[in-house]
Amino acid sequence: MKSATPTEPVNENGAEPRKKRGVPEGLWIRCDGCGATIYKKMVEERMGICPEPGCNHHFYVPARRRIEQLLDTDSFEEWYPNITSRDPLGFADRKPYPARVKDEQAKTGLTDACIVGRGYLRGRPLICGITDSAFIMGSMGSVVGEKLTRAIEEATRLHLPLVIVSGSGGGARMHEGILSLMQMGKVCAALARYHESKGLFVSVLTNPTMGGVAASFASLGDVVIAEPKALVGFAGPRVVQATVKQELPEGFQTSEFLLAHGFVDRIVARQDLRTEIARVIDYCVR
Amino acid sequence: MPPQYRLPFEKPLVVLEDRLAEFERVPDPDFSLRDQIRTTRLELKKLRREVFEKLDPWEIVQVARHPDRPHSSDYLELVFDEFVELHGDRSFGDDPAVITGFAKLEERRVMFIGQQKGHNLKDREKTQNGSPHPEGYRKALVRMQMAEKFKLPIVCFIDTQGAYPGIGAEERGQAYQIALNIREMSQVDTPIICIVIGEGGSGGALAIGIGDHIAMLQYTYYSVISPEGCAGILWKDRKYADKAARALKFTSADLLRFGVIDEIIPEPLGAAHRDHRSTAMYLKGALQRILKDVTAIPKAELLNRRYEKFRRIGVFEEVGA
């Protein structure tokens, strides 16, 4: 089947990149964007962007690395690192949910799919949240919902700008069932209060941002910035294709598609994110 | 009237229902026939209880999706005394998958917002079987803001498999519109009642599902993902939907246990599709009671209570806290 986006093949559920999560092991890697074999170290030095001329493919970046890229060196103070998930449904697919969480923790070095905290961006204080698409597809369960909600409540209390970088192909995490869906309500309610308090929320969309994450906090930024060619949308492209039974338009559900339809304010390459966010803060925060 | 469309597990019921219908068609029943009618009715009642007492989650999904199950439009007829429909979203169009307007319930006036499926093929096609587009959610939001202005309580009937996953829906910002509805509903300063009357399909349901009192009819489900979608992801095949239905814990009883909903509104024996009138009667009774309760919440407390209602949902562990 034809892939829905030029950058990432998608799997059955239509939202998650099929192969590797993160830059693959080894010295050399293949770019999903231009197909060139490139030196891994060069990609890392370029913030996970393909060094081939004219390519500009943005690779996946782990949450901690994202913090380093975005915030001033050593300025990040992580909050609520000790919140971990439980298994309210007694959910098991190919493995029980608690075992899955343990494996994902070992694989990513994270306790769950998001980290939040306070830091500085070019000297500007802010509250920051990052979701990591490597941890159960960056999906939002109770832990992600709770951490983001607390972070937003703190941002409201401290009158600080809020930046959330989303990377979530999984949307609301099905392993926690209805409790995950309700996290959308919880986080959005906190955002409503933050919005009322005139707080600035910059939402950064990265590849992929889908489902319940796209349909809650990620879409609600005062300013919505997307990295180039990220897959962003409500329903997964495979689901859409199965429903409409026709070829999807070129570039469907990419950052560029959203920009053209009015749901993204700016497409910003990763190396420019710091500058751009700082500039937005200076217009909105006094 | 027995329902037109029969579910697999209803087969034993159907035999009796057909027999009873046949008896009842006889114009002047003699004594022995009347006796037979009586015993068949009793037998049927017993069997209905047996079948419906032990429905498994996948069977509940099928009941919730039953084409003869009453929809928003039916309840507008059977529960409400007046309905003044208000069309359109003032921006793009008029999504038939969401019905909105002023409605009167005895002496109370409310703003009604209901997801609508339709009973015949033509209507179901028009509404995409009750799957709204962004303009449907915008239509709902426009009415809610109006209800806030005129101090009308809002009644939302949820009945969707999910927001429509189409090309136009994505182009017109399905994700953004759902997100916006959720955020705005948490701040709409008038009482909101949400009742799942059939299917509570994920974000498409939650987009009209933030309120002060959340209820579910007995044989409905409310889920983060459709059982078919879940099965497709976990077991690579939608045919395991029954397995997914059990795993997702999404029946009304489950949600009450999780503290996500406030109450279950009972359905008549044999479920809503067998008896629209009784279902509507139960629903009306519950709605009147709930309306009285939510409108009695002090105005200053309403939004805080709504915030806390969702704020406390979530199950996690916190070490060293």
Side-chain angles (χ1 to χ4, degrees):
Chain A
M1 188 183 289
K2 190 182 169 293
S3 160
T5 75
T7 53
E8 296 283 1
V10 289
N11 73 356
E12 291 70 14
N13 84 14
E16 183 199 24
R18 178 183 291 150
K19 26 182 238 144
K20 52 85 233 173
R21 289 155 166 167
V23 178
E25 299 300 312
L27 285 176
W28 297 86
I29 54 170
R30 215 179 114 85
C31 174
D32 291 330
C34 62
T37 303
I38 44 182
Y39 194 37
K40 186 178 162 187
K41 214 168 154 213
M42 267 178 82
V43 175
E44 281 170 359
E45 275 166 9
R46 290 163 166 262
M47 306 176 98
I49 300 170
C50 178
E52 287 293 300
C55 176
N56 198 32
H57 175 71
H58 283 49
F59 285 87
Y60 155 80
V61 170
R64 301 225 178 265
R65 194 84 187 86
R66 174 74 69 176
I67 296 280
E68 289 167 24
Q69 291 178 1
L70 210 54
L71 301 185
D72 300 345
T73 312
D74 294 331
S75 75
F76 185 64
E77 170 195 321
E78 188 177 346
W79 288 345
Y80 329 119
N82 299 324
I83 302 182
T84 51
S85 67
R86 285 174 56 192
D87 185 18
L89 269 58
F91 198 90
D93 46 282
R94 274 153 298 170
K95 51 181 149 177
Y97 178 50
R100 181 172 297 282
V101 168
K102 226 169 224 148
D103 291 355
E104 299 280 311
Q105 286 171 338
K107 188 183 78 187
T108 60
L110 300 167
T111 50
D112 208 294
C114 108
I115 50 180
V116 300
R118 182 187 168 144
Y120 288 83
L121 189 153
R122 297 240 162 102
R124 296 156 182 84
L126 49 76
I127 306 289
C128 189
I130 319 268
T131 67
D132 191 317
S133 64
F135 194 105
I136 317 188
M137 292 158 55
S139 56
M140 172 163 64
S142 299
V143 175
V144 173
E146 181 68 20
K147 281 173 126 179
L148 288 176
T149 302
R150 288 190 193 180
I152 296 162
E153 286 173 340
E154 279 302 285
T156 311
R157 193 175 66 83
L158 299 168
H159 301 289
L160 284 177
L162 171 73
V163 175
I164 299 179
V165 183
S166 302
S168 170
R173 187 178 296 170
M174 63 185 164
H175 309 70
E176 293 179 32
I178 193 71
L179 298 171
S180 297
L181 186 73
M182 293 299 150
Q183 300 308 306
M184 295 164 65
K186 179 163 119 181
V187 177
C188 288
L191 276 177
R193 288 187 163 183
Y194 181 66
H195 184 68
E196 292 266 291
S197 78
K198 310 271 186 251
L200 164 68
F201 171 29
V202 178
S203 177
V204 181
L205 313 178
T206 73
N207 186 51
T209 300
M210 302 296 292
V213 167
S216 62
F217 61 90
S219 293
L220 293 175
D222 295 290
V223 176
V224 180
I225 292 172
E227 287 193 340
K229 291 183 180 158
L231 179 70
V232 182
F234 176 65
R238 291 282 279 265
V239 174
V240 175
Q241 191 157 44
T243 305
V244 302
K245 296 178 182 68
Q246 67 183 77
E247 202 65 37
L248 300 178
E250 184 77 22
F252 184 60
Q253 296 183 319
T254 55
S255 308
E256 293 72 14
F257 173 91
L258 266 87
L259 184 91
H261 287 96
F263 297 97
V264 159
D265 298 306
R266 289 176 75 76
I267 293 174
V268 176
R270 194 172 288 157
Q271 69 270 22
D272 300 327
L273 274 178
R274 263 167 75 82
T275 312
E276 289 266 347
I277 295 171
R279 188 148 47 193
V280 169
I281 290 174
D282 291 346
Y283 275 96
C284 303
V285 178
R286 264 166 276 277
Chain B
M1 248 272 284
Q4 300 298 302
Y5 174 87
R6 274 97 183 239
L7 299 168
F9 59 86
E10 290 182 312
K11 280 217 176 80
L13 284 178
V14 167
V15 178
L16 275 185
E17 281 169 344
D18 285 351
R19 193 192 302 161
L20 185 65
E22 210 171 287
F23 290 159
E24 283 172 339
R25 266 200 299 276
V26 177
D28 265 317
D30 59 15
F31 180 77
S32 88
L33 186 58
R34 283 207 300 272
D35 201 41
Q36 267 181 296
I37 290 177
R38 209 162 29 238
T39 36
T40 314
R41 274 190 190 143
L42 280 174
E43 222 180 310
L44 187 59
K45 197 170 166 187
K46 190 166 154 260
L47 193 61
R48 275 180 184 164
R49 181 162 293 133
E50 275 169 25
V51 169
F52 278 85
E53 243 168 25
K54 53 176 175 52
L55 288 188
D56 98 329
W58 177 237
E59 289 168 337
I60 289 174
V61 171
Q62 293 169 65
V63 174
R65 289 176 181 171
H66 197 293
D68 296 332
R69 197 177 166 83
H71 299 150
S72 283
S73 58
D74 302 303
Y75 290 126
L76 279 170
E77 293 272 326
L78 297 170
V79 172
F80 295 91
D81 302 294
E82 182 178 76
F83 180 54
V84 183
E85 186 166 6
L86 300 168
H87 291 273
D89 71 337
R90 301 282 173 90
S91 177
F92 179 83
D94 183 34
D95 189 344
V98 181
I99 310 174
T100 63
F102 300 121
K104 221 168 115 188
L105 187 75
E106 303 286 347
E107 76 287 3
R108 285 182 192 276
R109 289 182 164 84
V110 302
M111 180 62 81
F112 177 88
I113 291 159
Q115 287 165 332
Q116 169 68 9
K117 290 183 172 176
H119 281 299
N120 56 49
L121 196 64
K122 202 178 119 232
D123 285 347
R124 274 201 287 273
E125 221 163 82
K126 255 192 343 208
T127 68
Q128 309 288 355
N129 197 30
S131 290
H133 280 70
E135 50 272 24
Y137 292 113
R138 198 179 306 113
K139 175 178 175 179
L141 185 57
V142 166
R143 302 298 169 252
M144 290 186 216
Q145 286 161 343
M146 184 180 180
E148 178 182 51
K149 179 177 174 187
F150 297 110
K151 308 267 179 281
L152 290 167
I154 298 166
V155 174
C156 296
F157 280 9
I158 295 168
D159 191 10
T160 182
Q161 282 193 31
Y164 189 67
I167 294 172
E170 295 288 328
E171 285 173 341
R172 301 196 289 277
Q174 191 71 284
Y176 169 71
Q177 192 60 48
I178 292 172
L180 188 67
N181 275 37
I182 296 172
R183 188 185 76 183
E184 294 303 302
M185 279 186 93
S186 74
Q187 294 277 331
V188 168
D189 201 0
T190 188
I192 304 176
I193 299 167
C194 306
I195 301 178
V196 180
I197 58 165
E199 299 186 82
S202 187
L206 193 66
I208 61 163
I210 308 292
D212 306 297
H213 190 99
I214 322 284
M216 287 169 82
L217 280 175
Q218 188 175 0
Y219 299 112
T220 63
Y221 75 98
Y222 194 176
S223 179
V224 65
I225 186 170
S226 73
E228 289 89 346
C230 178
I233 294 168
L234 292 185
W235 298 289
K236 309 293 170 212
D237 199 328
R238 297 167 74 86
K239 74 171 185 235
Y240 297 116
D242 58 332
K243 210 168 141 185
R246 283 191 288 278
L248 284 165
K249 306 271 195 306
F250 57 30
T251 65
S252 55
D254 292 321
L255 267 72
L256 190 67
R257 189 161 50 83
F258 287 139
V260 168
I261 60 167
D262 297 290
E263 70 171 287
I264 297 170
I265 300 170
E267 294 184 26
L269 198 55
H273 60 281
R274 282 207 159 62
D275 188 348
H276 286 202
R277 274 182 197 285
S278 302
T279 312
M281 207 178 69
Y282 296 164
L283 185 55
K284 183 173 181 173
L287 204 49
Q288 284 175 306
R289 168 176 46 77
I290 300 166
L291 264 170
K292 204 170 144 221
D293 290 349
V294 293
T295 48
I297 299 173
K299 209 177 146 22
E301 279 176 38
L302 186 72
L303 293 184
N304 276 336
R305 278 173 65 160
R306 193 182 303 158
Y307 187 84
E308 290 305 325
K309 190 176 180 58
F310 285 85
R311 180 66 189 86
R312 64 181 167 73
I313 299 179
V315 173
F316 54 84
E317 230 161 282
E318 190 163 16
V319 186

